[in-house]
Amino acid sequence: MKKKNIYHINDRTMKYQTLILSRHQHSYLGLPGTFEARYPQEIVFPNMSAGRVDEFYTTAEGLLINLEEESGEITEKVLKKISNYLIFGDFMYSKKLYSAVICIKIQKKNLNTLKGHHQ
């Protein structure tokens, strides 16, 4: 029998958790403010390219939070993508912005570097 690969199972699990437990996740992560309302995940930039944030939501204090779950390596490309989401959020919603990235997989090649920072 052929083995099926499940694309980014960790990513999908985290996204499902975020959808179902948004209020609790916000509190658990110690993010600022009080969770208020989710915003659309689908975004369209002025140049007509599209993107999809993992989570955009507001707090009662007027903060727009972009929560991203990453199961791969955090590269310059990933950071640029997240920066573009923040630029979009600022342009579209005119709110103070806050971004949080949940890294759910540590690359073996980066493990020694991470250990060195926590000693």
Side-chain angles (χ1 to χ4, degrees):
M1 180 164 55
K2 187 176 179 180
K3 182 179 173 182
K4 286 186 175 183
N5 289 331
I6 301 175
Y7 179 74
H8 291 289
I9 187 67
N10 290 337
D11 251 0
R12 290 196 178 167
T13 301
M14 291 295 290
K15 285 180 174 109
Y16 178 76
Q17 172 186 300
T18 299
L19 287 171
I20 301 304
L21 302 171
S22 296
R23 291 180 191 278
H24 300 292
Q25 186 176 36
H26 174 85
S27 178
Y28 177 79
L29 293 173
L31 297 174
T34 304
F35 180 94
E36 188 173 63
R38 296 183 72 233
Y39 274 35
Q41 293 173 295
E42 203 68 37
I43 60 177
V44 178
F45 296 102
N47 68 0
M48 295 300 124
S49 65
R52 186 172 177 86
V53 299
D54 288 338
E55 187 71 26
F56 254 161
Y57 64 88
T58 59
T59 65
E61 298 77 12
L63 186 64
L64 177 65
I65 295 183
N66 169 227
L67 181 62
E68 292 293 321
E69 297 99 6
E70 294 296 332
S71 60
E73 188 174 359
I74 305 298
T75 63
E76 188 175 325
K77 183 178 178 181
V78 170
L79 293 174
K80 185 174 181 351
K81 172 187 77 169
I82 293 169
S83 292
N84 284 337
Y85 293 163
L86 293 176
I87 291 167
F88 172 85
D90 180 46
F91 173 76
M92 196 68 183
Y93 303 114
S94 300
K95 293 183 178 288
K96 186 175 177 185
L97 301 165
Y98 188 94
S99 187
V101 181
I102 299 173
C103 303
I104 55 178
K105 181 179 178 184
I106 297 175
Q107 302 293 324
K108 287 182 182 180
K109 67 181 182 178
N110 294 333
L111 190 56
N112 289 334
T113 304
L114 291 173
K115 286 180 182 175
H117 289 279
H118 295 289
Q119 293 178 354

PDB file of all heavy atoms in Angstrom, residues 23-43:
ATOM      1  N   ARG A  23      -9.463  32.775  21.637  1.00  0.00           N
ATOM      2  CA  ARG A  23      -9.446  33.535  22.901  1.00  0.00           C
ATOM      3  C   ARG A  23      -8.483  32.918  23.908  1.00  0.00           C
ATOM      4  O   ARG A  23      -7.714  33.611  24.562  1.00  0.00           O
ATOM      5  CB  ARG A  23     -10.836  33.584  23.514  1.00  0.00           C
ATOM      6  CG  ARG A  23     -11.806  34.414  22.747  1.00  0.00           C
ATOM      7  CD  ARG A  23     -13.182  34.410  23.419  1.00  0.00           C
ATOM      8  NE  ARG A  23     -14.172  35.002  22.551  1.00  0.00           N
ATOM      9  CZ  ARG A  23     -14.367  36.308  22.435  1.00  0.00           C
ATOM     10  NH1 ARG A  23     -13.659  37.141  23.130  1.00  0.00           N
ATOM     11  NH2 ARG A  23     -15.283  36.771  21.607  1.00  0.00           N
ATOM     12  N   HIS A  24      -8.530  31.607  24.030  1.00  0.00           N
ATOM     13  CA  HIS A  24      -7.671  30.920  24.995  1.00  0.00           C
ATOM     14  C   HIS A  24      -6.206  30.973  24.577  1.00  0.00           C
ATOM     15  O   HIS A  24      -5.321  31.149  25.407  1.00  0.00           O
ATOM     16  CB  HIS A  24      -8.119  29.475  25.176  1.00  0.00           C
ATOM     17  CG  HIS A  24      -9.526  29.358  25.668  1.00  0.00           C
ATOM     18  ND1 HIS A  24      -9.901  29.752  26.941  1.00  0.00           N
ATOM     19  CD2 HIS A  24     -10.642  28.910  25.070  1.00  0.00           C
ATOM     20  CE1 HIS A  24     -11.194  29.546  27.097  1.00  0.00           C
ATOM     21  NE2 HIS A  24     -11.670  29.032  25.966  1.00  0.00           N
ATOM     22  N   GLN A  25      -5.963  30.827  23.282  1.00  0.00           N
ATOM     23  CA  GLN A  25      -4.591  30.863  22.779  1.00  0.00           C
ATOM     24  C   GLN A  25      -3.976  32.236  23.019  1.00  0.00           C
ATOM     25  O   GLN A  25      -2.827  32.341  23.421  1.00  0.00           O
ATOM     26  CB  GLN A  25      -4.565  30.508  21.295  1.00  0.00           C
ATOM     27  CG  GLN A  25      -3.156  30.398  20.746  1.00  0.00           C
ATOM     28  CD  GLN A  25      -3.144  29.947  19.310  1.00  0.00           C
ATOM     29  OE1 GLN A  25      -4.015  30.309  18.524  1.00  0.00           O
ATOM     30  NE2 GLN A  25      -2.165  29.159  18.950  1.00  0.00           N
ATOM     31  N   HIS A  26      -4.733  33.283  22.803  1.00  0.00           N
ATOM     32  CA  HIS A  26      -4.257  34.652  23.026  1.00  0.00           C
ATOM     33  C   HIS A  26      -3.791  34.807  24.469  1.00  0.00           C
ATOM     34  O   HIS A  26      -2.694  35.291  24.743  1.00  0.00           O
ATOM     35  CB  HIS A  26      -5.375  35.656  22.711  1.00  0.00           C
ATOM     36  CG  HIS A  26      -5.037  37.056  23.049  1.00  0.00           C
ATOM     37  ND1 HIS A  26      -4.334  37.867  22.188  1.00  0.00           N
ATOM     38  CD2 HIS A  26      -5.262  37.791  24.164  1.00  0.00           C
ATOM     39  CE1 HIS A  26      -4.157  39.043  22.754  1.00  0.00           C
ATOM     40  NE2 HIS A  26      -4.714  39.022  23.952  1.00  0.00           N
ATOM     41  N   SER A  27      -4.595  34.369  25.386  1.00  0.00           N
ATOM     42  CA  SER A  27      -4.271  34.463  26.808  1.00  0.00           C
ATOM     43  C   SER A  27      -3.084  33.566  27.161  1.00  0.00           C
ATOM     44  O   SER A  27      -2.164  33.982  27.859  1.00  0.00           O
ATOM     45  CB  SER A  27      -5.500  34.074  27.626  1.00  0.00           C
ATOM     46  OG  SER A  27      -5.200  34.103  28.998  1.00  0.00           O
ATOM     47  N   TYR A  28      -3.101  32.332  26.663  1.00  0.00           N
ATOM     48  CA  TYR A  28      -2.043  31.373  26.958  1.00  0.00           C
ATOM     49  C   TYR A  28      -0.676  31.886  26.503  1.00  0.00           C
ATOM     50  O   TYR A  28       0.331  31.708  27.201  1.00  0.00           O
ATOM     51  CB  TYR A  28      -2.359  30.032  26.290  1.00  0.00           C
ATOM     52  CG  TYR A  28      -1.287  28.999  26.488  1.00  0.00           C
ATOM     53  CD1 TYR A  28      -1.190  28.297  27.688  1.00  0.00           C
ATOM     54  CD2 TYR A  28      -0.368  28.719  25.484  1.00  0.00           C
ATOM     55  CE1 TYR A  28      -0.199  27.349  27.885  1.00  0.00           C
ATOM     56  CE2 TYR A  28       0.624  27.777  25.670  1.00  0.00           C
ATOM     57  CZ  TYR A  28       0.707  27.097  26.867  1.00  0.00           C
ATOM     58  OH  TYR A  28       1.694  26.163  27.048  1.00  0.00           O
ATOM     59  N   LEU A  29      -0.628  32.524  25.339  1.00  0.00           N
ATOM     60  CA  LEU A  29       0.632  33.032  24.802  1.00  0.00           C
ATOM     61  C   LEU A  29       1.081  34.320  25.492  1.00  0.00           C
ATOM     62  O   LEU A  29       2.183  34.801  25.254  1.00  0.00           O
ATOM     63  CB  LEU A  29       0.513  33.259  23.289  1.00  0.00           C
ATOM     64  CG  LEU A  29       0.339  32.005  22.459  1.00  0.00           C
ATOM     65  CD1 LEU A  29       0.052  32.355  21.004  1.00  0.00           C
ATOM     66  CD2 LEU A  29       1.576  31.103  22.565  1.00  0.00           C
ATOM     67  N   GLY A  30       0.228  34.877  26.329  1.00  0.00           N
ATOM     68  CA  GLY A  30       0.584  36.105  27.038  1.00  0.00           C
ATOM     69  C   GLY A  30       0.649  37.323  26.129  1.00  0.00           C
ATOM     70  O   GLY A  30       1.407  38.259  26.381  1.00  0.00           O
ATOM     71  N   LEU A  31      -0.158  37.319  25.070  1.00  0.00           N
ATOM     72  CA  LEU A  31      -0.167  38.457  24.143  1.00  0.00           C
ATOM     73  C   LEU A  31      -0.900  39.630  24.783  1.00  0.00           C
ATOM     74  O   LEU A  31      -1.778  39.442  25.631  1.00  0.00           O
ATOM     75  CB  LEU A  31      -0.815  38.039  22.826  1.00  0.00           C
ATOM     76  CG  LEU A  31      -0.054  36.929  22.083  1.00  0.00           C
ATOM     77  CD1 LEU A  31      -0.837  36.461  20.875  1.00  0.00           C
ATOM     78  CD2 LEU A  31       1.327  37.391  21.682  1.00  0.00           C
ATOM     79  N   PRO A  32      -0.555  40.842  24.387  1.00  0.00           N
ATOM     80  CA  PRO A  32      -1.141  42.026  25.030  1.00  0.00           C
ATOM     81  C   PRO A  32      -2.630  42.211  24.721  1.00  0.00           C
ATOM     82  O   PRO A  32      -3.108  41.840  23.650  1.00  0.00           O
ATOM     83  CB  PRO A  32      -0.322  43.183  24.459  1.00  0.00           C
ATOM     84  CG  PRO A  32       0.220  42.677  23.167  1.00  0.00           C
ATOM     85  CD  PRO A  32       0.403  41.199  23.344  1.00  0.00           C
ATOM     86  N   GLY A  33      -3.334  42.795  25.671  1.00  0.00           N
ATOM     87  CA  GLY A  33      -4.737  43.137  25.473  1.00  0.00           C
ATOM     88  C   GLY A  33      -5.685  41.970  25.708  1.00  0.00           C
ATOM     89  O   GLY A  33      -5.287  40.887  26.110  1.00  0.00           O
ATOM     90  N   THR A  34      -6.955  42.247  25.421  1.00  0.00           N
ATOM     91  CA  THR A  34      -8.024  41.272  25.574  1.00  0.00           C
ATOM     92  C   THR A  34      -8.586  40.939  24.200  1.00  0.00           C
ATOM     93  O   THR A  34      -9.021  41.831  23.470  1.00  0.00           O
ATOM     94  CB  THR A  34      -9.153  41.857  26.463  1.00  0.00           C
ATOM     95  OG1 THR A  34      -8.584  42.263  27.701  1.00  0.00           O
ATOM     96  CG2 THR A  34     -10.246  40.839  26.699  1.00  0.00           C
ATOM     97  N   PHE A  35      -8.568  39.657  23.834  1.00  0.00           N
ATOM     98  CA  PHE A  35      -9.072  39.214  22.526  1.00  0.00           C
ATOM     99  C   PHE A  35     -10.469  39.781  22.296  1.00  0.00           C
ATOM    100  O   PHE A  35     -11.322  39.743  23.168  1.00  0.00           O
ATOM    101  CB  PHE A  35      -9.118  37.684  22.481  1.00  0.00           C
ATOM    102  CG  PHE A  35      -9.626  37.144  21.176  1.00  0.00           C
ATOM    103  CD1 PHE A  35      -8.747  36.805  20.172  1.00  0.00           C
ATOM    104  CD2 PHE A  35     -10.981  36.974  20.956  1.00  0.00           C
ATOM    105  CE1 PHE A  35      -9.211  36.302  18.966  1.00  0.00           C
ATOM    106  CE2 PHE A  35     -11.457  36.477  19.757  1.00  0.00           C
ATOM    107  CZ  PHE A  35     -10.564  36.140  18.756  1.00  0.00           C
ATOM    108  N   GLU A  36     -10.687  40.310  21.073  1.00  0.00           N
ATOM    109  CA  GLU A  36     -12.009  40.851  20.760  1.00  0.00           C
ATOM    110  C   GLU A  36     -12.644  40.169  19.552  1.00  0.00           C
ATOM    111  O   GLU A  36     -13.662  39.508  19.686  1.00  0.00           O
ATOM    112  CB  GLU A  36     -11.923  42.358  20.533  1.00  0.00           C
ATOM    113  CG  GLU A  36     -13.283  43.005  20.386  1.00  0.00           C
ATOM    114  CD  GLU A  36     -13.203  44.509  20.331  1.00  0.00           C
ATOM    115  OE1 GLU A  36     -12.597  45.038  19.379  1.00  0.00           O
ATOM    116  OE2 GLU A  36     -13.728  45.144  21.254  1.00  0.00           O
ATOM    117  N   ALA A  37     -12.047  40.316  18.365  1.00  0.00           N
ATOM    118  CA  ALA A  37     -12.706  39.790  17.157  1.00  0.00           C
ATOM    119  C   ALA A  37     -11.682  39.396  16.099  1.00  0.00           C
ATOM    120  O   ALA A  37     -10.661  40.053  15.943  1.00  0.00           O
ATOM    121  CB  ALA A  37     -13.640  40.849  16.581  1.00  0.00           C
ATOM    122  N   ARG A  38     -12.005  38.318  15.373  1.00  0.00           N
ATOM    123  CA  ARG A  38     -11.165  37.878  14.261  1.00  0.00           C
ATOM    124  C   ARG A  38     -11.420  38.741  13.039  1.00  0.00           C
ATOM    125  O   ARG A  38     -12.532  39.204  12.812  1.00  0.00           O
ATOM    126  CB  ARG A  38     -11.457  36.424  13.928  1.00  0.00           C
ATOM    127  CG  ARG A  38     -11.100  35.488  15.069  1.00  0.00           C
ATOM    128  CD  ARG A  38     -11.321  34.026  14.729  1.00  0.00           C
ATOM    129  NE  ARG A  38     -10.291  33.611  13.777  1.00  0.00           N
ATOM    130  CZ  ARG A  38     -10.555  33.021  12.622  1.00  0.00           C
ATOM    131  NH1 ARG A  38     -11.777  32.760  12.271  1.00  0.00           N
ATOM    132  NH2 ARG A  38      -9.572  32.673  11.818  1.00  0.00           N
ATOM    133  N   TYR A  39     -10.375  38.927  12.227  1.00  0.00           N
ATOM    134  CA  TYR A  39     -10.461  39.644  10.961  1.00  0.00           C
ATOM    135  C   TYR A  39     -10.238  38.640   9.829  1.00  0.00           C
ATOM    136  O   TYR A  39      -9.702  37.555  10.057  1.00  0.00           O
ATOM    137  CB  TYR A  39      -9.390  40.737  10.900  1.00  0.00           C
ATOM    138  CG  TYR A  39      -9.787  42.048  11.534  1.00  0.00           C
ATOM    139  CD1 TYR A  39     -10.593  42.095  12.667  1.00  0.00           C
ATOM    140  CD2 TYR A  39      -9.354  43.246  11.009  1.00  0.00           C
ATOM    141  CE1 TYR A  39     -10.945  43.303  13.254  1.00  0.00           C
ATOM    142  CE2 TYR A  39      -9.704  44.456  11.590  1.00  0.00           C
ATOM    143  CZ  TYR A  39     -10.492  44.476  12.706  1.00  0.00           C
ATOM    144  OH  TYR A  39     -10.845  45.661  13.282  1.00  0.00           O
ATOM    145  N   PRO A  40     -10.611  39.000   8.596  1.00  0.00           N
ATOM    146  CA  PRO A  40     -10.419  38.073   7.469  1.00  0.00           C
ATOM    147  C   PRO A  40      -8.957  37.665   7.307  1.00  0.00           C
ATOM    148  O   PRO A  40      -8.054  38.470   7.520  1.00  0.00           O
ATOM    149  CB  PRO A  40     -10.888  38.880   6.255  1.00  0.00           C
ATOM    150  CG  PRO A  40     -11.793  39.915   6.818  1.00  0.00           C
ATOM    151  CD  PRO A  40     -11.252  40.242   8.182  1.00  0.00           C
ATOM    152  N   GLN A  41      -8.753  36.422   6.921  1.00  0.00           N
ATOM    153  CA  GLN A  41      -7.400  35.910   6.711  1.00  0.00           C
ATOM    154  C   GLN A  41      -6.914  36.167   5.281  1.00  0.00           C
ATOM    155  O   GLN A  41      -5.720  36.253   5.047  1.00  0.00           O
ATOM    156  CB  GLN A  41      -7.356  34.408   6.997  1.00  0.00           C
ATOM    157  CG  GLN A  41      -7.592  34.087   8.461  1.00  0.00           C
ATOM    158  CD  GLN A  41      -7.708  32.605   8.679  1.00  0.00           C
ATOM    159  OE1 GLN A  41      -8.638  31.976   8.191  1.00  0.00           O
ATOM    160  NE2 GLN A  41      -6.763  32.044   9.394  1.00  0.00           N
ATOM    161  N   GLU A  42      -7.831  36.258   4.364  1.00  0.00           N
ATOM    162  CA  GLU A  42      -7.479  36.480   2.964  1.00  0.00           C
ATOM    163  C   GLU A  42      -7.158  37.950   2.762  1.00  0.00           C
ATOM    164  O   GLU A  42      -7.938  38.823   3.145  1.00  0.00           O
ATOM    165  CB  GLU A  42      -8.655  36.071   2.078  1.00  0.00           C
ATOM    166  CG  GLU A  42      -8.290  35.723   0.671  1.00  0.00           C
ATOM    167  CD  GLU A  42      -7.467  34.447   0.559  1.00  0.00           C
ATOM    168  OE1 GLU A  42      -7.696  33.494   1.305  1.00  0.00           O
ATOM    169  OE2 GLU A  42      -6.584  34.424  -0.312  1.00  0.00           O
ATOM    170  N   ILE A  43      -6.006  38.232   2.155  1.00  0.00           N
ATOM    171  CA  ILE A  43      -5.631  39.627   1.922  1.00  0.00           C
ATOM    172  C   ILE A  43      -5.226  39.818   0.464  1.00  0.00           C
ATOM    173  O   ILE A  43      -4.750  38.890  -0.180  1.00  0.00           O
ATOM    174  CB  ILE A  43      -4.489  40.089   2.862  1.00  0.00           C
ATOM    175  CG1 ILE A  43      -3.239  39.250   2.678  1.00  0.00           C
ATOM    176  CG2 ILE A  43      -4.939  40.032   4.315  1.00  0.00           C
ATOM    177  CD1 ILE A  43      -2.066  39.710   3.518  1.00  0.00           C
TER     178      ILE A  43
END
